[in-house]
Amino acid sequence: MRSDVARRTTRLGARTAAAAATGLLTAGLLAVGAAVPASADEPTGQTDQLWINAPIEQTLPLGGGSDGEPQSRSLNIGLSHDNDNFAVTDGRLTVDISGIAGVAEVTWPDNCTPSGTTAVCGVPEVPIIGDAYGPQVHLTVRAAEGAAAGAHGRITYAAVATGGPTGSLEAPLDSFETTLTVAGGPDLSLGNVAPVKGAQPGSTHTVPFTLTNKGDDRSEGFTARLVASYGVDLVTRYPECTYRTIGGDDYAPMTEATCTFDEVLEPGESFALPEPMRVALAPHAYDERLDISVEPGNGATDLAEEDNYTIASLGAVNTADFEARGARVAGVAGETVTAELGFRNNGPAWLGNLGSGDPVALVDFTVPEGVTVTSAPEECIARTLDGNGSLPGRTGAPRYVCDLPYWTLPDTTHAFPFKLRIDRVVPDATGQVVLRPSFGSTPFPFDPDAGNNTARLVVNATSDATPAG
């Protein structure tokens, strides 16, 4: 089953050439009106979006149920909107199942009122997409009696709600659908792993590994892949696994284990590892994860790959001291000098934005008076002096914002060399070098010393006592 709700999470190892990432598609609808608020307390001049969040596809097993009937699957659908300045209520989701006649059967939940091949499902309060969002309509579907492998059909949706800038939002027809396909085969399903929070570096933890074949055919063995972030050590080593280090150049270093198990899993059977999976948090651990994925053996195709993957999140209590690096240069008018500005992670923790891939920090450099940038690193974007606008090209700007990589190890530095032409000598000409997060203005939550997040570039200092950092 593939969902159209956007996710930022990326599998570990997905950025390396040896691993491919499975993307999730995003679909949405735009419902806007005149800039008239629904009430006096609501904002004017704003728009809102109503979304139907539904799986794009779902595979239905031919059999495998305990009663000899086809196994059921859950189909979870939700409504959401984008602008939290508006209260959106009384959502009504219309579900049309006329396209799956002879393919699948649907059991309606209590919040749906069926009539023929359609049903209207109520959603009293429509939320925005965020941590608190969850689907509100839960259908149960299974292959219809007599359906053959390969049979497929579509469920379509429409929705309206009360609220938004005009008092109502409506989803255009023919914009959202779920394709159901009947098939036979194994369906390996990994159980979810509860996150670990507030752990101490050096501590050891057991990661549950729960694997069940929910399909209607046996799995002739299976392959498991474990990818551990840099701060996780795989303590338990299995003879069925081969281990290696991946990444380390353009990509964060990780440990990968590829495991081949010969156990045959009949429909409904579960698998337990020979011994519990133990992992340890390294002294440099901070925001860690262990990605686990499985696939059936003997070249079989899994019926529903969305539950073949899970993440064990491991959060450690640690700090990383981010330090801005300034410089001091000197020259006569007309001379071009190089200033290496940058960043150092003093540790003890490493940092990696493994899900989003966003830079761990930005280096924000304001050009001193009397000099012109004639060459800037490719990671740096030319900005206006107030930082609110970008400028074309890479030379002559009054300000630059440079992306650091998405990961940084402790006790490592990253330099951005700028070539500066001294147009006129200004004694003690100074430009700031500031570290800041990729988004927002909140200080780094892991940094124990925000005071060294700012440094200076000094051109033609008049005294050795003039500091650059």
Side-chain angles (χ1 to χ4, degrees):
M1 180 173 67
R2 288 163 54 219
S3 169
D4 67 357
V5 180
R7 306 289 187 204
R8 292 181 65 85
T9 302
T10 302
R11 295 189 185 192
L12 284 191
R15 295 183 181 89
T16 65
T22 300
L24 296 180
L25 301 181
T26 303
L29 59 98
L30 180 63
V32 299
V36 180
S39 73
D41 295 330
E42 291 184 331
T44 60
Q46 296 195 34
T47 61
D48 201 357
Q49 286 183 307
L50 182 66
W51 299 70
I52 300 174
N53 305 307
I56 296 172
E57 58 186 23
Q58 172 71 68
T59 302
L60 303 178
L62 274 170
S66 58
D67 56 359
E69 296 295 324
Q71 287 186 31
S72 297
R73 291 289 187 263
S74 295
L75 205 61
N76 302 313
I77 306 104
L79 298 183
S80 64
H81 73 109
D82 275 350
N83 192 337
D84 61 359
N85 289 319
F86 294 103
V88 178
T89 60
D90 191 25
R92 283 150 288 161
L93 173 71
T94 300
V95 183
D96 186 342
I97 63 171
S98 60
I100 60 169
V103 176
E105 300 171 352
V106 175
T107 301
W108 300 103
D110 292 341
N111 62 333
C112 294
T113 303
S115 176
T117 59
T118 63
V120 177
C121 306
V123 179
E125 295 184 3
V126 180
I128 62 169
I129 287 289
D131 292 339
Y133 169 80
Q136 306 95 0
V137 179
H138 308 279
L139 310 183
T140 302
V141 294
R142 70 176 187 178
E145 183 178 354
H152 62 276
R154 296 183 303 165
I155 298 177
T156 58
Y157 311 95
V160 293
T162 300
T166 64
S168 64
L169 298 173
E170 181 178 3
L173 296 173
D174 304 323
S175 295
F176 303 92
E177 61 185 40
T178 300
T179 298
L180 303 182
T181 303
V182 178
D187 176 15
L188 300 184
S189 176
L190 281 168
N192 292 328
V193 181
V196 174
K197 299 179 181 179
Q200 292 298 317
S203 59
T204 303
H205 305 268
T206 298
V207 177
F209 183 91
T210 306
L211 178 65
T212 302
N213 181 6
K214 294 183 177 180
D216 60 2
D217 198 359
R218 65 171 52 185
S219 177
E220 301 282 354
F222 66 93
T223 299
R225 181 173 182 255
L226 315 175
V227 183
S229 60
Y230 180 65
V232 176
D233 295 327
L234 300 176
V235 176
T236 308
R237 297 284 174 133
Y238 302 102
E240 296 87 352
C241 303
T242 58
Y243 298 84
R244 65 174 183 147
T245 299
I246 59 176
D249 293 323
D250 294 331
Y251 307 102
M254 297 167 278
T255 301
E256 178 190 59
T258 302
C259 313
T260 302
F261 294 94
D262 296 328
E263 283 80 354
V264 174
L265 291 180
E266 299 289 347
E269 288 187 345
S270 296
F271 171 84
L273 289 169
E275 59 178 298
M277 185 188 303
R278 302 281 287 170
V279 300
L281 292 176
H284 52 261
Y286 181 63
D287 188 7
E288 307 302 330
R289 55 191 272 185
L290 172 65
D291 289 29
I292 306 171
S293 59
V294 294
E295 60 181 32
N298 206 26
T301 299
D302 196 285
L303 288 181
E305 294 183 348
E306 77 278 0
D307 57 359
N308 291 24
Y309 172 70
T310 192
I311 298 174
S313 298
L314 303 151
V317 179
N318 212 341
T319 61
D321 177 21
F322 279 12
E323 176 188 349
R325 307 299 294 271
R328 183 182 301 172
V329 295
V332 299
E335 185 178 356
T336 297
V337 296
T338 299
E340 289 204 352
L341 312 176
F343 157 88
R344 177 179 171 83
N345 176 13
N346 294 317
W350 88 295
L351 263 294
N353 290 324
L354 301 176
S356 66
D358 294 326
V360 291
L362 304 177
V363 176
D364 193 337
F365 165 48
T366 302
V367 180
E369 182 184 0
V371 302
T372 298
V373 173
T374 59
S375 176
E378 62 180 11
E379 304 97 328
C380 302
I381 297 175
R383 308 290 293 185
T384 56
L385 184 59
D386 61 9
N388 294 326
S390 59
L391 297 173
R394 296 189 182 277
T395 61
R399 187 169 176 176
Y400 291 83
V401 176
C402 308
D403 287 352
L404 285 164
Y406 75 92
W407 60 282
T408 175
L409 302 186
D411 301 319
T412 59
T413 60
H414 192 94
F416 296 102
F418 283 84
K419 290 187 176 181
L420 311 172
R421 185 184 66 238
I422 300 176
D423 300 318
R424 56 191 175 88
V425 173
V426 178
D428 295 322
T430 301
Q432 277 201 330
V433 181
V434 181
L435 296 178
R436 57 182 178 85
S438 296
F439 297 98
S441 56
T442 304
F444 301 107
F446 47 80
D447 194 336
D449 181 11
N452 62 0
N453 291 167
T454 299
R456 297 190 298 169
L457 167 63
V458 181
V459 182
N460 288 316
T462 57
S463 168
D464 288 343
T466 305

